[in-house]
């Protein structure tokens, strides 16, 4: 009897592992435009680090720790993050286990503990944004602000944090009800910016996303507006 139970448990575990492998093995891949943004230029040095990438621009004092969206290859966000670094905000792009930020929500610790920057921000897209917000809710004393791209918090964010929430009018993936409910957790001084014509997937460069709306602007334009809003709102020292 015990042997049969163990065999059943092993079978269940094997099937669960196989299902997880199939689920995580299907993800959105970075396109050619994203891969080209991983190259350094005269303004930004792009360097692979242990758990992701560093976009090192002219800033010496401000940095953003970025969590990618669920089941999205992290390098898909390279064009947006390269633009942010060029504008004066260095960016640490975190590679998540199985491309799911929920499996490593405290990844920001390693960057923060390095003490390399005067001002530190955390942010992310979709699931990555939600996990970044959860981290910020628990570590407000270590951060200066939060950047939410098509994402919302589920816990109170301290009033000391500068928070900007950005989403597109054509986003078919973002839960608008939960976005509205998340307003109660944001500081009163937060900024909300809706990108006319933008959708969910175009914060990155990984093609069309299932369930998303059709964008009325290009990914490049959506990312240009996103970067401009972030750089204008955050109290950068540079």
């Amino acid at each position: 009897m015990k042997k049969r139970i163990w065999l059943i448990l092993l079978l269940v575990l094997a099937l669960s592992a196989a299902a997880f492998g199939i689920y995580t093995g299907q993800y959105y891949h970075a396109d050619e435009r994203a891969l080209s943004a991983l190259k350094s230029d005269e303004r930004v040095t792009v360097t692979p680090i242990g758990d992701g990438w560093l976009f090192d621009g002219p800033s010496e004092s401000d940095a953003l720790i970025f969590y990618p969206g669920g089941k999205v290859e992290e390098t898909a966000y390279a064009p947006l993050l390269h633009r942010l670094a060029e504008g004066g905000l260095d960016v640490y792009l975190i590679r998540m286990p199985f491309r799911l930020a929920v499996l490593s929500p405290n990844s920001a610790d390693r960057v923060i503990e390095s003490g390399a920057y005067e001002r530190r921000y955390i942010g992310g897209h979709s699931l990555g944004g939600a996990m970044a917000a959860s981290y910020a809710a628990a570590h407000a004393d270590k951060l200066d602000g939060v950047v939410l791209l098509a994402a919302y918090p589920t816990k109170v964010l301290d009033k000391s944090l500068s928070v900007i929430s950005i989403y597109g009018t054509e986003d078919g993936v973002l839960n608008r009800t939960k976005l509205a409910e998340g307003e109660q957790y944001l500081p009163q001084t937060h900024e909300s910016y809706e990108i006319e014509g933008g959708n969910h997937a175009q914060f990155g460069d990984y093609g069309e996303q299932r369930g998303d709306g059709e964008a009325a602007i290009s990914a490049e334009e959506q990312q240009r507006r996103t970067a401009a809003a972030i750089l204008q709102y955050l109290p950068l020292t540079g």
Side-chain angles (χ1 to χ4, degrees):
M1 185 64 178
K2 289 184 178 180
K3 184 177 180 179
R4 177 180 294 181
I5 292 174
W6 276 110
L7 287 174
I8 292 173
L9 288 174
L10 287 173
L11 178 60
V12 170
L13 288 173
L15 290 174
S16 297
F20 182 77
I22 293 172
Y23 174 76
T24 57
Q26 299 173 343
Y27 61 92
Y28 295 99
H29 296 260
D31 65 18
E32 288 301 319
R33 179 171 176 267
L35 297 179
S36 67
L38 288 174
K39 299 176 182 178
S40 300
D41 56 29
E42 64 278 5
R43 290 278 291 174
V44 178
T45 301
V46 184
T47 307
I49 54 178
D51 54 355
W53 300 81
L54 168 60
F55 295 77
D56 188 1
S59 176
E60 298 293 334
S61 55
D62 304 290
L64 170 68
I65 303 161
F66 191 87
Y67 288 5
K71 297 184 68 176
V72 177
E73 189 171 15
E74 72 280 352
T75 50
Y77 299 95
L80 170 62
L81 305 186
H82 196 288
R83 188 183 290 271
L84 286 173
E86 184 177 359
L89 180 63
D90 286 358
V91 184
Y92 286 82
L93 171 59
I94 306 299
R95 179 188 300 113
M96 291 295 177
F98 300 102
R99 300 171 185 86
L100 294 171
V102 70
L103 298 180
S104 188
N106 295 322
S107 290
D109 283 344
R110 291 185 289 278
V111 177
I112 291 174
E113 289 168 1
S114 71
Y117 293 87
E118 180 181 340
R119 290 180 181 267
R120 296 176 295 269
Y121 305 92
I122 192 169
H125 176 227
S126 198
L127 176 63
M131 292 299 99
S134 292
Y135 182 91
H139 302 88
D141 58 320
K142 299 180 180 181
L143 296 163
D144 294 280
V146 183
V147 175
L148 302 173
L149 305 182
Y152 47 84
T154 57
K155 298 177 182 178
V156 175
L157 296 178
D158 194 84
K159 62 181 180 180
S160 65
L161 297 170
S162 298
V163 182
I164 183 168
S165 172
I166 305 175
Y167 47 91
T169 58
E170 310 309 309
D171 192 327
V173 178
L174 179 63
N175 187 317
R176 299 285 175 151
T177 299
K178 291 186 177 180
L179 177 68
E181 291 174 351
E183 289 277 334
Q184 64 184 305
Y185 302 118
L186 297 172
Q188 290 186 352
T189 55
H190 81 277
E191 177 83 7
S192 291
Y193 177 47
E194 189 172 36
I195 299 177
E196 186 68 35
N199 67 1
H200 195 82
Q202 287 190 165
F203 286 109
D205 279 79
Y206 55 89
E208 297 180 359
Q209 185 164 346
R210 183 178 180 180
D212 202 4
E214 183 177 353
I217 58 175
S218 67
E220 184 175 7
E221 175 61 15
Q222 181 165 337
Q223 292 159 22
R224 184 193 69 79
R225 297 185 194 179
T226 300
I230 294 171
L231 293 171
Q232 182 177 2
Y233 175 73
L234 293 182
L236 305 181
T237 58

